[in-house]
């Protein structure tokens, strides 16, 4: 759902009298995993090279809390936007029964500089992260994938499950694992009630991670693990491993054997220096940076994806301001069309 020239030009030249404020409810009603996956698929090949995305800025507010700024902008007629995600990290909030991370996203016109919209950055991130994984699954997972194993039952887990289901309609069973077993069983029950559109899909939880890893045609991980949860020797032939949890060198969701057995792809170059699974694997000689493929190259057909039904594929995502801006574009332009 990339912008048409007329749509983009109309937005670029419009006089904005009052910026939109989009509530969480509005975002949930506008965004759908299937449509966002399609939007990324259509837009990433043409926009990723034209967007300016500086390295995110991080400021320490105290010994434990911080502020992060993630800007991105484009001056091309087809994408006339500037976007900034502002994130606060207050880990001590758990004592107050509050989330440790809060985020807002602000969208501006790159033609006039006017503020166009502001929205909840946390919800936007949940959708864009899961849909990038869904897009990779659409390209790399086997066409006949039947079982999805979800490692982790946090805020991202239901979005990842729905994105993989959208990308791979062949999926028939979802098995959820979490360190706290009740969270996994609660999520399974919740999804049973929600996923009416995926009639026939079985949702269940299981406390034995090593047992269920080998069942997964797709294994998706969203945890804060600093020690590997997914053992490569347990992955079945033909499996697709998806990881979104780690974002620094000390974090690892899989071991070296998983990286060694699989063909590895990433969402962007930042993953090569931020993802603990890869940084460690490079240092230990398990794989080389030049052997890692990129999602955009897969979409363009510049790199071969899955070569056969027995190959293991690995996708590691760390996120980027590019997909933040594309997700915000879809939200904003959907609102404009409905007016």
């Amino acid at each position: 759902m990339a912008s048409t020239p007329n749509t983009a030009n109309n937005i670029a030249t419009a006089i904005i009298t009052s910026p939109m404020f989009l509530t969480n409810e509005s975002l949930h009603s506008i965004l759908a995993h299937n449509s966002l996956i399609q939007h990324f698929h259509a837009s990433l090949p043409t926009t990723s090279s034209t967007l300016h995305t500086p390295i995110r800025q991080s400021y320490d507010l105290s010994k434990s809390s911080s502020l992060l700024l993630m800007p991105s902008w484009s001056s091309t007629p087809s994408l006339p936007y500037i976007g900034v995600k502002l994130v606060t990290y207050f880990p001590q909030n758990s004592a107050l029964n509050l989330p440790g991370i809060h985020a807002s996203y602000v969208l501006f016109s790159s033609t006039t500089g006017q503020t166009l919209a502001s929205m909840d950055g946390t919800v936007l991130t949940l959708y864009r992260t899961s849909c990038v994984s869904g897009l990779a699954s659409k390209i790399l997972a086997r066409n006949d994938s039947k079982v999805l194993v979800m490692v982790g039952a946090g805020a991202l887990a239901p979005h990842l499950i729905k994105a993989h289901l959208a990308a791979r309609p062949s999926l028939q069973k979802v098995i959820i694992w979490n360190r706290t077993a009740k969270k996994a069983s609660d999520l399974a029950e919740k999804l049973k009630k929600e996923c009416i559109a995926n009639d026939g899909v079985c949702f269940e939880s299981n406390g034995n991670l090593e047992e269920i890893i080998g069942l997964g045609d797709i294994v998706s991980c969203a945890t804060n693990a600093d020690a590997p949860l997914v053992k490569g020797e347990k992955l079945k032939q033909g499996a697709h491993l998806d990881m979104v949890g780690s974002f620094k060198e000390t974090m690892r969701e899989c071991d070296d054997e998983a990286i060694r057995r699989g063909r590895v792809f990433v969402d962007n170059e930042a993953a090569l220096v931020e993802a603990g699974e890869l940084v460690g694997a490079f240092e230990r000689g398990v794989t080389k940076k030049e052997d890692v493929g990129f999602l955009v190259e897969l979409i363009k057909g510049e790199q071969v994806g899955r070569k056969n039904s027995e190959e293991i594929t690995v996708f590691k995502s760390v996120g980027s301001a590019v997909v933040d801006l594309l997700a915000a574009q879809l939200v904003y332009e959907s609102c404009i069309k409905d007016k």
Side-chain angles (χ1 to χ4, degrees):
M1 188 175 168
S3 295
T4 64
N6 286 340
T7 302
N9 289 338
N10 290 342
I11 292 167
T13 57
I15 302 300
I16 308 301
T17 55
S18 180
M20 292 181 188
F21 175 74
L22 296 156
T23 64
N24 290 3
E25 291 73 20
S26 297
L27 288 177
H28 287 302
S29 67
I30 294 167
L31 288 170
H33 298 89
N34 189 49
S35 60
L36 190 53
I37 289 170
Q38 291 176 8
H39 181 56
F40 287 162
H41 200 169
S43 303
L44 276 171
T46 55
T47 59
S48 57
S49 61
T50 62
L51 283 169
H52 301 276
T53 53
I55 295 172
R56 59 187 169 204
Q57 302 167 51
S58 179
Y59 300 96
D60 293 331
L61 305 177
S62 69
K63 287 185 177 179
S64 60
S65 58
S66 55
L67 168 68
L68 290 85
L69 306 178
M70 305 176 193
S72 184
W73 65 89
S74 167
S75 55
T76 59
S78 61
L79 194 67
Y81 301 112
I82 303 164
V84 183
K85 185 161 71 175
L86 303 100
V87 182
T88 57
Y89 177 59
F90 281 66
Q92 66 273 23
N93 278 1
S94 57
L96 305 172
N97 200 29
L98 289 172
I101 297 176
H102 294 271
S104 293
Y105 195 87
V106 185
L107 189 70
F108 303 89
S109 164
S110 61
T111 304
T112 65
Q114 291 172 288
T115 306
L116 302 176
S118 62
M119 60 197 79
D120 188 293
T122 303
V123 173
L124 193 75
T125 301
L126 292 173
Y127 275 96
R128 67 86 152 139
T129 301
S130 60
C131 288
V132 168
S133 284
L135 177 53
S137 178
K138 181 179 179 181
I139 298 170
L140 295 171
R142 284 171 49 156
N143 293 334
D144 61 351
S145 296
K146 299 287 192 298
V147 179
L148 166 65
V149 172
M150 183 69 234
V151 182
L156 252 175
H159 286 274
L160 283 163
I161 290 168
K162 291 174 183 177
H164 286 299
L165 287 173
R168 284 292 169 208
S170 59
L171 288 168
Q172 298 175 356
K173 180 185 284 191
V174 177
I175 309 172
I176 305 167
W177 176 90
N178 194 71
R179 289 187 193 278
T180 307
K182 189 175 186 307
K183 286 189 71 175
S185 59
D186 286 351
L187 178 56
E189 289 303 313
K190 183 170 181 267
L191 289 170
K192 284 178 187 177
K193 297 171 184 175
E194 284 184 4
C195 291
I196 300 171
N198 296 98
D199 190 29
V201 177
C202 171
F203 297 93
E204 61 184 61
S205 61
N206 190 306
N208 190 331
L209 182 59
E210 290 205 0
E211 176 184 287
I212 62 174
I213 288 297
L215 301 176
D217 296 302
I218 300 173
V219 179
S220 186
C221 304
T223 72
N224 291 321
D226 52 16
L229 293 171
V230 176
K231 305 295 174 59
E233 66 177 6
K234 299 291 183 181
L235 290 169
K236 68 188 290 187
Q237 285 190 327
H240 172 64
L241 175 60
D242 166 56
M243 297 180 290
V244 305
S246 73
F247 54 88
K248 54 186 179 181
E249 294 181 23
T250 56
M251 302 172 74
R252 293 175 70 195
E253 292 188 297
C254 76
D255 64 5
D256 285 347
E257 183 64 8
I259 301 297
R260 187 192 66 77
R261 291 186 67 197
R263 286 183 62 227
V264 182
F265 300 87
V266 296
D267 60 336
N268 64 79
E269 288 191 357
L272 303 180
V273 294
E274 292 181 0
E277 301 90 352
L278 298 183
V279 173
F282 296 148
E283 291 174 349
R284 290 183 288 274
V286 176
T287 189
K288 302 174 184 176
K289 287 185 179 181
E290 51 266 35
D291 293 332
V292 176
F294 294 89
L295 180 60
V296 169
E297 293 175 351
L298 283 172
I299 299 170
K300 290 180 177 180
E302 293 174 357
Q303 277 200 328
V304 177
R306 172 172 293 278
K307 293 179 178 178
N308 57 64
S309 61
E310 295 187 349
E311 184 177 53
I312 291 173
T313 54
V314 178
F315 179 69
K316 173 58 198 168
S317 168
V318 295
S320 75
V322 171
V323 283
D324 283 331
L325 186 61
L326 290 176
Q329 172 206 9
L330 179 60
V331 170
Y332 179 69
E333 292 182 9
S334 296
C335 289
I336 291 293
K337 288 177 184 176
D338 291 341
K339 282 196 169 185

